[in-house]
Amino acid sequence: MLDGYEQRPGQVRMLEQVCRLLERGGVLAVEAGTGVGKSLAYGIPAAAFALARGRRVVISSATINLQEQLVGKDLPLVGRLLGRSLRFELVKGRGNYLCRRRLADAWRRLHVSQGPADGEQLARLVSWAENSEDGSLASLDFRVDEELWERVSSDADACLGMRCPRRGECFFARARARAERAQLLVVNHHLLLADLAVRLDSGNWEKRAVLPSFGHLVVDEAHELEDAASSFFGVRITARGMARLLGRLAGRRGRAGLLDDLAREIESLGGALAGGRAQRLRQSTGELQQQAREVEQAYRRGLEQLGQLLQERRQQGTESKLRLDRLSGDDYPAEVDSSLREAADRLRQLAGQVALLVERLGELGQEESVSAEALAWVERARLLAEHTDLVFSREADEQVRWAESQRGGQASLHAAPVELAPLFRQVLFENMEAVVLTSATLTVGGDFEFFHERLGLDGLPPQRLVELVVESPFTYREQARLAIPADLIPPGQPGYEQALADAVVQAVAVSGGAALVLYTSWGTMRRVAERVAGRLGELGLQLLVQGQARRDELLERLRQGGGVVLFGVDSFWRGIDVVGPALRHVVITRLPFDVPGEPLIEARGERLEARGLSAFRHFSLPRAVLRLKQGFGRLIRSRGDRGVVTLLDRRVLERSYGREFLASLPPARRLVGPAEDVFDELAEFFGSATSRRVVPLE
């Protein structure tokens, strides 16, 4: 028996089902409650199958924390349990690896090509590269400017392949070779989707794409898969991204650009150029630099015009995000549309001219690395032009397209597929031999229907799909309380934010901090933080707010204890694992319905309405229920944990849909009543001398 191992019947049930599924094929959806130990429940059968059958298994997850846990702890343990040598590898996208050739080129051109701060960073990178085992961004122990890393990291479009003079030392090639030898591959959802997209486009399901070939897949944190696909297959265009792209060509912030590199190539080839040809080519680089600046200005003007339109709509009380796909007539920003389409055309023409210049220099013996960098830029520019056309297309019915405000008065452009179920069905469930989908939050009221619909599982033959719900081994009635004050002002009513601020102070005071307070809106979180910061300080509590520091830094400060109260939005609802007394109170400020006016959410709801279904009952409500389950799941992470989830939204008691929320939560004992009584009971639960009566309301 493994030291410290606790018998978990649910873990064994899941393990047995995963074993059967991998052997016979099909799709298994498993909701495994917190504490089941699902990583071992799928890790052991995945490893045993790979070893026995010689078939590679891919494990995909949404968070780096789980990926690191798998390769650093769980899979080594699996190998020891099986008594076999198990080869596994954490696979990262190639942009995570340093390219020695690009680094050498940047170092060689340092005196002319880089910005004033690049010299020190490049010198440190050169030294680090000589001693690094994997050359990955994650192993860097110093900060590198993001734009500089883009210039020296591995890039598929700029790669020279077999012609690279540093190929034998390539960090990415070594990582790729390790992946080829591995029996288990650990990836994130983005990399998995990138691989599947390449296979779908090429029709290749047998050979290497982004990943080595595989037919058996485990998707952990499967509740994140649809959102990950929306991001991966979506489009986002910003003024900052445009400036970086065109700055890479024409120069930016004191850094020379690719056209400067091409001009130096012309100088070096001057002796081979006759009849004033060198002068004409040098002149063309200067003209292209000017064109690049004009294209950037054209995009910037269009985005500023759109930003002004959004500002006017916001002042009129309409939404701050503009759905371009449903506008027509006078409402459609035709002037902006025309302006940005013209900018895209000019960008496409610029890319063609750069490609032509590279071709001419290539005929004269231009350095291949410079050519590769320039052609990589050309591909990115053409893709950006295509994306701009897509955002303003009147025919892309399967895409929702919108604009939203950015800092500085500009707008950003977005597009995303409305429906992903057909894609998932094709790339995952019809072309994979076996797929395991697991998470702690897949069901609504014990039913998989919503999850199946979103991923296209409802279209599979019944005999190919297996469902399993494994309850958490934790004793929630003893370990946890669900507190719901029944007399707080509900969201949307006058005085709501002040009442919310008062209730947050009351709640975190009774637990002496050790609290995670979850919001659904950045604006509400920041305004409440301003209201309560002084009052929490008077109580000896330290307030941390998402955005003040990196997510991992904030969580580490919470783990250290000492009366910390952490305010968070969005990503803090999931993927957080704080064990022990450092987190004993999760405060959920309101039921986590999506923010009204979110274009992608609206479009998906409209698609359901067009089918005669209620967007609220079939989409908005199930999404909110699952998110509330995720928030609740931050509290109890081990058998020794003890704490409270306080829900500051009385609608869960008053509205008919409240029953669906409560039915989906773990069976903690509920404390419901006037806020005064609830907070007094919580003070008793926490064994605190602090009660409502010593935390006066304002």
Side-chain angles (χ1 to χ4, degrees):
M1 179 65 70
L2 185 67
D3 289 343
Y5 176 77
E6 298 176 351
Q7 183 70 31
R8 304 177 191 179
Q11 185 183 54
V12 175
R13 286 177 58 212
M14 178 175 172
L15 186 152
E16 292 172 344
Q17 283 282 16
V18 174
C19 279
R20 285 193 286 269
L21 190 283
L22 292 175
E23 287 289 349
R24 76 181 187 189
V27 180
L28 170 64
V30 187
E31 180 173 88
T34 307
V36 166
K38 65 182 186 304
S39 57
L40 288 183
Y42 62 69
I44 291 173
F49 176 83
L51 289 166
R53 298 287 183 264
R55 307 289 299 278
R56 185 180 290 111
V57 180
V58 171
I59 301 172
S60 180
S61 70
T63 60
I64 188 62
N65 288 341
L66 180 52
Q67 293 155 36
E68 291 175 345
Q69 175 189 316
L70 285 166
V71 299
K73 177 184 175 183
D74 295 336
L75 294 181
L77 174 58
V78 167
R80 293 196 299 273
L81 290 172
L82 296 177
R84 299 281 300 278
S85 175
L86 180 64
R87 298 190 304 275
F88 53 86
E89 187 71 21
L90 174 59
V91 185
K92 306 172 186 176
R94 70 184 302 155
N96 286 280
Y97 293 95
L98 183 75
C99 172
R100 291 184 184 271
R101 192 267 302 166
R102 298 183 87 194
L103 176 62
D105 288 347
W107 180 249
R108 187 172 64 252
R109 297 193 303 270
L110 175 62
H111 65 291
V112 289
S113 295
Q114 309 301 322
D118 290 341
E120 180 182 351
Q121 292 184 27
L122 280 170
R124 297 187 72 179
L125 279 169
V126 169
S127 175
W128 171 78
E130 295 304 314
N131 300 291
S132 176
E133 291 186 6
D134 67 353
S136 73
L137 181 61
S139 63
L140 270 178
D141 56 359
F142 56 94
R143 183 187 174 278
V144 173
D145 180 76
E146 185 178 349
E147 288 188 50
L148 178 59
W149 179 261
E150 285 184 5
R151 295 183 180 216
V152 299
S153 59
S154 183
D155 182 295
D157 292 324
C159 181
L160 298 182
M162 298 298 293
R163 303 185 307 279
C164 179
R166 309 297 293 270
R167 180 169 178 78
E169 309 167 87
C170 179
F171 288 120
F172 175 69
R174 292 176 184 176
R176 186 166 174 162
R178 290 194 299 271
E180 289 284 357
R181 296 191 297 268
Q183 294 149 324
L184 298 180
L185 299 180
V186 178
V187 305
N188 63 25
H189 290 349
H190 185 94
L191 197 60
L192 171 68
L193 291 164
D195 178 86
L196 295 174
V198 170
R199 296 185 187 281
L200 179 64
D201 186 56
S202 65
N204 158 38
W205 300 94
E206 303 298 330
K207 299 178 181 178
R208 164 181 270 281
V210 176
L211 300 172
S213 62
F214 66 98
H216 294 76
L217 172 67
V218 177
V219 181
D220 200 343
E221 299 175 313
H223 63 278
E224 301 271 16
L225 196 54
E226 184 181 23
D227 286 345
S230 298
S231 174
F232 177 81
F233 292 106
V235 167
R236 183 171 185 264
I237 300 172
T238 66
R240 180 171 179 263
M242 174 58 59
R244 287 175 64 168
L245 176 73
L246 290 162
R248 178 73 179 107
L249 181 69
R252 180 171 180 251
R253 293 181 178 175
R255 290 189 177 104
L258 288 168
L259 289 170
D260 295 298
D261 294 340
L262 292 172
R264 284 192 298 277
E265 282 293 297
I266 294 169
E267 293 291 341
S268 69
L269 295 169
L273 301 173
R277 192 175 180 190
Q279 182 179 356
R280 289 195 299 273
L281 288 174
R282 281 196 300 272
Q283 183 179 352
S284 71
T285 61
E287 292 171 352
L288 291 174
Q289 283 180 319
Q290 180 60 32
Q291 288 181 38
R293 295 186 181 103
E294 291 173 357
V295 169
E296 180 182 345
Q297 291 170 4
Y299 263 101
R300 192 176 295 277
R301 281 195 301 272
L303 294 175
E304 286 174 350
Q305 288 176 315
L306 200 50
Q308 183 177 358
L309 177 61
L310 287 168
Q311 178 66 23
E312 293 171 357
R313 291 174 65 88
R314 191 161 52 246
Q315 291 173 350
Q316 296 167 3
T318 56
E319 66 272 16
S320 60
K321 296 182 181 181
L322 181 64
R323 282 274 302 278
L324 298 172
D325 59 284
R326 69 178 182 186
L327 294 179
S328 61
D330 294 338
D331 291 330
Y332 192 80
E335 183 179 349
V336 177
D337 179 327
S338 176
S339 175
L340 287 170
R341 282 181 184 271
E342 181 180 347
D345 286 339
R346 295 177 65 180
L347 177 61
R348 197 177 287 108
Q349 293 168 10
L350 175 63
Q353 291 176 281
V354 173
L356 183 60
L357 176 60
V358 171
E359 181 181 346
R360 289 172 178 169
L361 291 177
E363 294 170 354
L364 298 168
Q366 175 193 13
E367 182 182 334
E368 192 172 12
S369 62
V370 177
S371 172
E373 296 290 339
L375 291 178
W377 182 90
V378 168
E379 291 303 312
R380 283 177 170 76
R382 286 172 171 165
L383 182 62
L384 181 58
E386 289 178 13
H387 286 169
T388 307
D389 291 341
L390 172 65
V391 170
F392 288 103
S393 170
R394 300 294 188 98
E395 299 175 357
D397 294 336
E398 295 306 310
Q399 299 276 335
V400 56
R401 303 177 303 284
W402 73 95
E404 60 183 78
S405 298
Q406 298 287 302
R407 291 179 181 177
Q410 294 177 332
S412 56
L413 302 174
H414 304 259
V418 178
E419 290 198 65
L420 288 162
L423 179 67
F424 284 130
R425 193 155 48 237
Q426 182 176 4
V427 301
L428 276 182
F429 310 128
E430 294 178 357
N431 283 290
M432 292 288 117
E433 294 180 49
V435 180
V436 176
L437 302 159
T438 186
S439 167
T441 52
L442 295 184
T443 68
V444 176
D447 194 318
F448 283 93
E449 180 182 4
F450 177 70
F451 179 70
H452 290 348
E453 288 177 352
R454 300 314 307 164
L455 266 63
L457 290 166
D458 55 335
L460 293 182
Q463 66 273 17
R464 186 166 164 76
L465 177 61
V466 180
E467 300 174 353
L468 176 65
V469 175
V470 180
E471 301 293 344
S472 170
F474 299 147
T475 54
Y476 282 98
R477 286 197 64 80
E478 286 72 39
Q479 291 180 255
R481 300 289 184 271
L482 172 60
I484 309 174
D487 56 352
L488 299 180
I489 296 176
Q493 297 300 310
Y496 167 69
E497 281 196 2
Q498 182 59 59
L500 175 62
D502 294 337
V504 166
V505 173
Q506 295 279 323
V508 301
V510 295
S511 60
L516 174 65
V517 184
L518 297 173
Y519 294 82
T520 61
S521 160
W522 281 89
T524 301
M525 178 183 72
R526 290 170 179 147
R527 290 190 295 272
V528 171
E530 291 175 359
R531 291 177 185 268
V532 305
R535 297 163 67 187
L536 295 183
E538 293 173 3
L539 293 169
L541 303 177
Q542 181 186 3
L543 175 62
L544 303 176
V545 181
Q546 184 177 352
Q548 290 178 339
R550 294 202 319 266
R551 184 174 184 265
D552 57 343
E553 293 175 353
L554 294 173
L555 289 174
E556 183 56 34
R557 182 64 192 88
L558 178 63
R559 290 187 181 99
Q560 292 172 4
V564 173
V565 178
L566 173 57
F567 282 15
V569 183
D570 192 30
S571 65
F572 281 80
W573 286 75
R574 56 194 185 276
I576 290 176
D577 193 9
V578 180
V579 179
L583 177 56
R584 54 182 187 162
H585 199 176
V586 173
V587 180
I588 296 174
T589 53
R590 65 183 295 170
L591 293 174
F593 289 106
D594 290 302
V595 177
E598 193 65 36
L600 185 55
I601 301 302
E602 275 189 353
R604 288 175 174 164
E606 289 165 4
R607 189 62 59 91
L608 289 169
E609 296 280 359
R611 290 163 47 193
L613 300 173
S614 165
F616 178 78
R617 301 297 307 183
H618 287 85
F619 188 63
S620 298
L621 179 58
R623 278 178 60 87
V625 169
L626 289 173
R627 196 175 182 198
L628 185 65
K629 288 175 67 175
Q630 292 160 14
F632 192 110
R634 299 314 98 211
L635 181 67
I636 303 298
R637 309 300 298 176
S638 74
R639 291 183 184 273
D641 284 353
R642 190 168 181 266
V644 173
V645 173
T646 297
L647 176 57
L648 301 176
D649 191 339
R650 76 188 202 196
R651 292 178 300 173
V652 76
L653 304 172
E654 298 173 345
R655 302 290 180 88
S656 60
Y657 58 70
R659 292 191 297 272
E660 293 199 39
F661 283 103
L662 295 176
S664 294
L665 294 178
R669 180 186 165 197
R670 296 174 189 169
L671 306 176
V672 179
E676 179 177 358
D677 297 340
V678 167
F679 289 131
D680 281 344
E681 284 196 67
L682 293 188
E684 183 177 346
F685 175 84
F686 285 116
S688 169
T690 304
S691 74
R692 177 183 180 278
R693 297 182 180 87
V694 296
V695 189
L697 297 174
E698 287 188 349

